[in-house]
Amino acid sequence: MRTVPRVACINDLSGFGRCSLTTALPVLSVMGVQACPAPTAVLSMHTGFPQFTFTDLTDGMAAYFASWQDLKFDWIYSGFLGSVDQIELVRDFFRRQKAINPDCRILLDPVMGDDGKRYSTYTEALCNAMRQLVAEADVITPNITEACLLTDTPYRGEALHSAEAVSLAEKLMTLGCRAAVMTGIIQENAIANLTYSGGKAEFSRVHRTECLFSGTGDLFASVLCGALAGGARLDSAVQTAGMFLSEVTQYTLQQNTPAAEGVLFEPLLWKLGGNYHEQIQRK
Ligand code: PXL
């Protein structure tokens, strides 16, 4: 492994609202990982705000990836994708990286929606293209809404019994990914994250904060990516990401800030720079 693992972060840059690249870059940096951004779009604010500008960057992406063709990445972490063409460019980038470096791993966060609803920019064509992209991934991190959209399953809320969650994860696996982490399953006063890998399902539960903040999926996937790039096993990386999310959401709830502004991770970011992962694993 490289001294500083290298990750390509394919995601949008939203100027306000704590999500996508503005979350991924600080989290990966503090976790000792070199984060190389490939921006898919620039938004003035994320799409959860009533007004935002959206500049799609698809046109520049082929040249952007071409200039990276001799770089080897340990992981590729992809998030919000804004057009079908973009999804195809990302698929080609995944394939090229795997071809020049079979050890390259792909973390795909299929950012499509939340709370039973698709994001306003997310069309049916994008859903179909995302289903195909999942087949290229080593790990995917959908929330329940996204798991339902990907598998054409009717959405019946975020509260799922363990057996229902496992059967949804099994459906996700039929799309061809190597492992799936289904996030944000409500089970009484806990949030469960389900890791499905190697034919085995494992639940990791943390304290639930009763509020829905924007960008929590991005923060979870970013911490997960940092831990994985640092060499952690998938199940332990899921525990670490879950614990950090639980701490940060509880802190944010106490501060009483608008939910669309996301989780206030800045005051707690330093924890990820120490031996947070080791501490969580020892608990
Ligand atoms: O947090 C996911 C996300 C990422 N990127 C953009 C978004 C959202 C959620 O609303 O709008 C642009």
Side-chain angles (χ1 to χ4, degrees), residues 11-12 14 19-20 43 45-48 80 111 119 214-216 218:
N11 218 327
D12 72 87
S14 287
C19 66
S20 35
L43 293 86
M45 311 177 118
H46 67 59
T47 63
F80 181 90
V111 178
Y119 292 133
S214 300
T216 48
D218 298 353

Side-chain angles (χ1 to χ4, degrees), residues 11-14 17-21 23 40-43 45-49 52 54 79-81 109 111-114 119-121 146 213-219:
N11 218 327
D12 72 87
L13 183 70
S14 287
R18 295 190 184 87
C19 66
S20 35
L21 284 176
T23 299
T40 56
V42 176
L43 293 86
M45 311 177 118
H46 67 59
T47 63
F49 287 97
F52 54 88
F54 184 105
F80 181 90
L81 302 175
D109 188 15
V111 178
M112 303 162 82
D114 203 0
Y119 292 133
S120 59
T121 51
E146 291 156 347
F213 298 107
S214 300
T216 48
D218 298 353
L219 185 59

Side-chain angles (χ1 to χ4, degrees), residues 13-222:
L13 183 70
S14 287
F16 190 76
R18 295 190 184 87
C19 66
S20 35
L21 284 176
T22 57
T23 299
L25 301 185
V27 165
L28 290 173
S29 298
V30 81
M31 293 179 84
V33 174
Q34 180 188 7
C36 307
T40 56
V42 176
L43 293 86
S44 58
M45 311 177 118
H46 67 59
T47 63
F49 287 97
Q51 265 192 6
F52 54 88
T53 67
F54 184 105
T55 309
D56 181 82
L57 298 181
T58 306
D59 286 350
M61 278 178 67
Y64 199 108
F65 286 141
S67 78
W68 278 7
Q69 66 184 352
D70 297 324
L71 296 178
K72 288 185 182 166
F73 293 93
D74 301 300
W75 279 83
I76 303 172
Y77 162 29
S78 113
F80 181 90
L81 302 175
S83 69
V84 172
D85 289 350
Q86 198 168 76
I87 292 183
E88 285 168 7
L89 288 162
V90 168
R91 181 201 57 204
D92 295 347
F93 178 65
F94 287 174
R95 289 185 179 170
R96 156 124 200 120
Q97 280 292 315
K98 287 258 185 186
I100 61 168
N101 175 20
D103 292 333
C104 172
R105 294 286 170 263
I106 293 164
L107 171 63
L108 173 70
D109 188 15
V111 178
M112 303 162 82
D114 203 0
D115 207 19
K117 293 179 280 292
R118 274 192 223 163
Y119 292 133
S120 59
T121 51
Y122 229 85
T123 60
E124 186 56 36
L126 271 171
C127 284
N128 282 330
M130 186 55 92
R131 279 184 199 115
Q132 287 170 23
L133 194 61
V134 165
E136 312 281 330
D138 290 289
V139 182
I140 62 167
T141 53
N143 59 30
I144 307 299
T145 302
E146 291 156 347
C148 289
L149 286 169
L150 286 169
T151 57
D152 241 332
T153 305
Y155 173 84
R156 289 190 286 112
E158 315 278 318
L160 297 183
H161 295 300
S162 297
E164 287 175 296
V166 171
S167 103
L168 190 51
E170 281 168 346
K171 275 197 194 175
L172 283 170
M173 296 301 289
T174 66
L175 296 172
C177 50
R178 256 60 76 211
V181 178
M182 227 165 62
T183 63
I185 306 162
I186 297 178
Q187 295 191 324
E188 291 164 23
N189 55 1
I191 286 283
N193 296 307
L194 169 60
T195 306
Y196 198 102
S197 174
K200 249 183 45 200
E202 191 172 327
F203 286 90
S204 159
R205 293 184 178 85
V206 291
H207 175 80
R208 174 158 86 100
T209 310
E210 296 215 20
C211 191
L212 248 189
F213 298 107
S214 300
T216 48
D218 298 353
L219 185 59
F220 181 92
S222 300

